[in-house]
Structure formats: structure tokens, C-alpha cells
């Protein structure tokens, strides 16, 4: 990896689309050398070429992939744990263990695995920042949300414990909780049903990936004595998980 010694390095997981891609672009514009990780390497390579960053294949649910990814990162100041998502909206009574397992693995164990592996380098940087992407679902249970609620609530617990454990170390820990943002999120949630995914945003104005990325960049560019603890960002048309103004 050819990085000028003066450029701080930021790692963004799940950077092949949506919030992760927008964050990678904005961090690069803010002066970071950005290492973009996800499973779809073709997309990552295109993004990395555009922002002067580095593309590395990464499956956050696979410890060997996380180890290989982390070994290729020479140093790191900022880690954005963004890889994640939801599958399905089944009620608890009809939940599939497999969809819950997928959500737990990517959102929770994925965040743990990457964080744990990069933590020594974040501490060694002298000015580490970890940003976990939670959700309104990390705060508010909603009908059909149990599996995703459970996973994102677990991310919140992980964020809060890590912040306590990093007290006194040069690592700040932030969680950004977005409400509805139009990305590939709903397409994944509805297993590729694009029409159903689009209907989620019928008659309302959702957040864009860029809106959320701006908050992430704000958090990681505060001076070292300031920690943005948590931030909830909602579209104006959404006041609670399932309370949405539609025209
Ligand atoms: P997208 O589906 O557009 O992006 C998800 C990203 O995660 C993709 O880059 C995908 O890349 C990556 N990813 C998925 N699984 C893995 C894996 N096993 N290993 C590595 N990367 C993986 O959705 P968003 O941008 O919206 O989602 C980003 C984060 O924001 C998620 O944590 C999501 O839960 C959260 N969020 C989203 C909201 C929304 O309304 N959009 C609201 C609240 C939170 P690839 O498939 O190439 O691996």
C-alpha cells in the first residue's frame, strides 16, 4: 500500500455502496487515505481509483478475511464499522434462525472482529477513532424488526462497552444512528425485490447516504478532546421507527 507518511489512514467497511461508499468519498476529500473493504471488489476498485484510496476484499463475517485485510493495513487512525444490514420483516413467530444469524454475524460479530483486529493499531496511532453505524433500530423496537433490532441493540452495547474500556487510551468511540436512508439497504432487506424496496420511501423524503456520511466525517474531525458519543439522524418526514409522514 503506497501511502504518503503524512496522510492519516481511514478504514471503511461495507464501502462498496450506500453510506460506506459516501463516507469513503468524503473522508478522502477531508484528507484521509481511505482503505475501502467489502465483498464486491470490482466496485471497491472503481471507488478507490476515483478517491486515490486502496481497495481490499473483506468479508467481515470471515475471521480469515478480516485477518488478511487487517494485515494489509500498515497503520490506521479511523475505523468506520459500517458493513451491515437487515434481512426480512417477519414477526417473531415466523422468524427464520438463518436470517437472524446473518444479521447477527454481519452487524455484531463483523463489527467486533474488525474492531478487535485493528484496535492495537488504533491505539498506537495516538489519535484513534472508531465509528460504529447503528440505527434507529438500535434504539427503538418496531413491528417486524426483532432480528435487526436485536443485532443493532447489540452493536450499541458493544459501542458503549468499548468506550468505557478505551477510557484513558487515545481512542474515541462514536455511534451514528441513522433513520431511513435510501441506499441498497431495502433491496437487500427484501431479497432483491426492487419495487418493494422502493415502496419503503413512497411519498416521503429519506436521508441520502451523503447526509449520514457528513455526520461521520464531522465526528472524526473533531479535536482530540471532543468525542461525539452518539448521533441520531432522521429524515424530517420520520419521527420514530414506523411513524412516517407520507404525502
Ligand atoms: P447498503 O446495502 O447500500 O450497504 C451495505 C454495505 O455493507 C455494502 O457495501 C456491502 O458490501 C457491505 N456488506 C454486507 N455484508 C458484508 C460482509 N459480510 N462483509 C463486508 N461488507 C459487507 O446499505 P447502507 O449503506 O444503508 O448500510 C450501511 C450501514 O447503515 C449498515 O450497517 C446498515 O445496517 C446501516 N443503516 C442503514 C439504514 C438505511 O436506512 N439505509 C438505516 C440505519 C442504519 P458487499 O455486498 O460488497 O460486501
Amino acid at each position: 500500500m503506497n501511502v504518503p507518511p503524512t496522510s492519516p489512514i481511514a478504514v471503511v467497511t461495507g464501502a462498496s455502496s450506500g453510506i460506506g461508499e459516501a463516507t469513503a468519498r468524503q473522508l478522502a476529500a477531508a484528507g484521509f487515505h481511505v482503505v475501502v473493504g467489502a465483498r464486491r471488489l470490482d466496485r471497491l476498485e472503481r471507488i478507490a481509483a476515483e478517491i486515490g484510496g486502496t481497495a481490499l476484499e473483506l468479508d467481515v463475517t470471515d475471521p480469515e478475511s478480516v485477518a488478511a485485510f487487517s494485515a494489509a493495513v500498515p497503520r490506521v487512525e479511523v475505523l468506520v464499522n459500517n458493513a451491515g444490514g437487515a434481512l426480512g420483516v417477519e414477526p417473531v413467530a415466523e422468524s427464520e434462525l438463518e436470517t437472524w444469524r446473518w444479521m447477527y454475524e454481519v452487524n455484531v460479530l463483523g463489527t467486533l472482529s474488525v474492531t478487535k483486529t485493528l484496535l492495537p493499531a488504533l491505539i498506537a496511532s495516538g489519535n484513534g477513532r472508531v465509528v460504529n453505524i447503528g440505527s434507529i433500530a438500535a434504539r427503538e423496537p418496531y413491528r417486524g424488526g426483532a432480528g435487526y433490532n436485536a443485532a443493532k441493540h447489540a452493536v450499541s452495547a458493544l459501542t458503549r462497552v468499548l468506550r468505557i474500556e478505551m477510557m484513558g487510551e487515545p481512542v474515541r468511540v462514536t455511534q451514528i444512528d441513522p433513520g431511513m436512508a435510501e441506499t441498497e439497504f431495502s433491496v437487500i432487506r427484501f431479497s432483491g425485490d426492487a419495487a418493494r424496496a422502493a415502496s419503503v420511501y413512497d411519498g416521503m423524503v429519506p436521508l441520502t447516504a451523503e447526509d449520514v456520511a457528513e455526520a461521520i466525517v464531522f465526528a472524526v474531525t473533531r479535536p482530540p478532546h471532543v468525542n461525539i458519543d452518539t448521533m441520531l439522524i432522521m429524515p424530517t418526514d420520520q419521527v420514530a421507527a414506523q411513524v412516517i409522514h407520507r404525502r
Side-chain angles (χ1 to χ4, degrees):
M1 198 177 296
N2 193 9
V3 189
T6 49
S7 295
I9 296 181
V11 167
V12 181
T13 71
S16 61
S17 71
I19 294 167
E21 176 180 349
T23 301
R25 290 183 186 282
Q26 291 186 24
L27 284 172
F32 287 89
H33 180 92
V34 185
V35 180
V36 288
R39 295 165 303 176
R40 288 171 291 181
L41 190 57
D42 52 334
R43 287 195 185 206
L44 292 179
E45 281 174 343
R46 208 172 52 238
I47 295 161
E50 285 174 29
I51 66 174
T54 302
L56 291 177
E57 197 169 345
L58 170 67
D59 181 344
V60 297
T61 68
D62 174 358
E64 280 181 20
S65 171
V66 172
F69 177 90
S70 303
V73 178
R75 54 191 166 79
V76 58
E77 276 198 11
V78 169
L79 166 62
V80 182
N81 285 307
N82 162 80
L87 266 191
V89 285
E90 287 74 29
V92 172
E94 291 161 26
S95 286
E96 299 283 350
L97 291 185
E98 266 316 302
T99 59
W100 278 60
R101 192 168 284 122
W102 183 87
M103 289 188 274
Y104 202 84
E105 286 196 351
V106 65
N107 291 287
V108 188
L109 300 184
T111 297
L112 170 66
S113 183
V114 178
T115 303
K116 193 180 157 198
T117 314
L118 289 177
L119 206 49
L122 286 158
I123 294 171
S125 80
N127 185 19
R129 281 87 95 199
V130 177
V131 181
N132 292 340
I133 308 306
S135 170
I136 178 68
R139 300 173 177 228
E140 191 192 332
Y142 59 88
R143 192 181 288 273
Y148 188 54
N149 285 143
K152 287 299 193 183
H153 275 67
V155 170
S156 283
L158 172 56
T159 303
R160 293 169 66 186
V161 173
L162 181 65
R163 188 181 299 117
I164 293 165
E165 292 176 354
M166 284 299 105
M167 191 176 70
E169 297 285 354
V171 176
R172 288 175 273 163
V173 182
T174 297
Q175 184 161 317
I176 306 285
D177 289 336
M180 292 162 75
E182 193 165 7
T183 60
E184 293 177 10
F185 177 85
S186 293
V187 179
I188 304 288
R189 181 167 221 173
F190 297 120
S191 306
D193 184 339
R196 191 171 176 200
S199 74
V200 169
Y201 313 105
D202 270 352
M204 60 87 64
V205 182
L207 298 171
T208 64
E210 288 73 23
D211 296 327
V212 181
E214 279 175 15
I216 297 166
V217 175
F218 175 80
V220 303
T221 51
R222 293 312 87 207
H225 70 288
V226 177
N227 185 44
I228 303 300
D229 183 295
T230 40
M231 214 191 276
L232 174 64
I233 312 167
M234 301 289 275
T236 307
D237 285 338
Q238 184 185 19
V239 297
Q242 289 180 328
V243 185
I244 297 150
H245 175 64
R246 296 187 195 271
R247 290 163 195 85

